[in-house]
Amino acid sequence: MKLWGVYHANGGLLGELAYVIGKVRGTVHCGLCDITHGSSIRPSAAWRDLEARLDVPIVLVHLNERPAALAAATEGRTPCVMAETARGFERLLGPEDLDACQGSVECFEAELLRSLQRR
C-alpha cells in the first residue's frame, strides 16, 4: 500500500505563485498544505518527522502532478489523502477532515491512523 496526499493547487512556479497570491487574498485554501508546510515554503520539521514514522510511504502531489488514475479518483475532491491498494484508490481523508486539523501534524496523524484502522 502507498498513501497519496493531493494538494488543492497546481505545482510548479506559476502554480505555487497563484496559490500564494490566492492565499493572501483569501480566495484559495488547502488544508493539506497547512498541515505539511504551515506558513513555510518547505515541509515543516514536524511533517518530516511524521513521514519518517509512518510504516507506509506517503507521496505528496499537486493537481497537475497526479497520475491519471489518481486524478480520476480525486477530481473535484481535493485536498485529500488516498490509499493506493490492490483494489485501486480509496479515500482516507477529505477536505473537511484536513481542515478540522487546523494545520496540526499531530491531529493529522491521529486522523490518518484512525482512518487506516477502519480499513
Side-chain angles (χ1 to χ4, degrees):
M1 180 171 72
K2 182 191 302 186
L3 301 179
W4 292 83
V6 182
Y7 293 115
H8 187 67
N10 284 321
L13 183 59
L14 291 178
E16 297 286 341
L17 184 58
Y19 179 77
V20 169
I21 291 169
K23 184 150 176 109
V24 169
R25 287 180 161 173
T27 59
V28 175
H29 172 72
C30 175
L32 182 59
C33 186
D34 292 345
I35 293 165
T36 62
H37 289 69
S39 60
S40 176
I41 295 172
R42 296 177 187 233
S44 69
W47 177 259
R48 290 190 308 269
D49 290 345
L50 171 61
E51 284 181 308
R53 284 194 309 274
L54 290 175
D55 292 334
V56 295
I58 183 164
V59 180
L60 300 172
V61 294
H62 295 90
L63 294 172
N64 61 333
E65 300 165 339
R66 296 173 292 175
L70 180 61
T74 61
E75 192 60 42
R77 292 176 269 170
T78 59
C80 62
V81 176
M82 304 288 284
E84 182 178 7
T85 69
R87 296 185 307 258
F89 290 102
E90 297 178 32
R91 184 169 129 165
L92 297 176
L93 300 172
E96 60 285 342
D97 304 310
L98 298 171
D99 285 345
C101 288
Q102 299 179 352
S104 168
V105 173
E106 294 79 14
C107 174
F108 173 85
E109 181 177 12
E111 291 301 313
L112 179 63
L113 293 176
R114 266 194 284 277
S115 183
L116 287 169
Q117 287 172 350
R118 284 193 298 259
R119 291 181 165 52

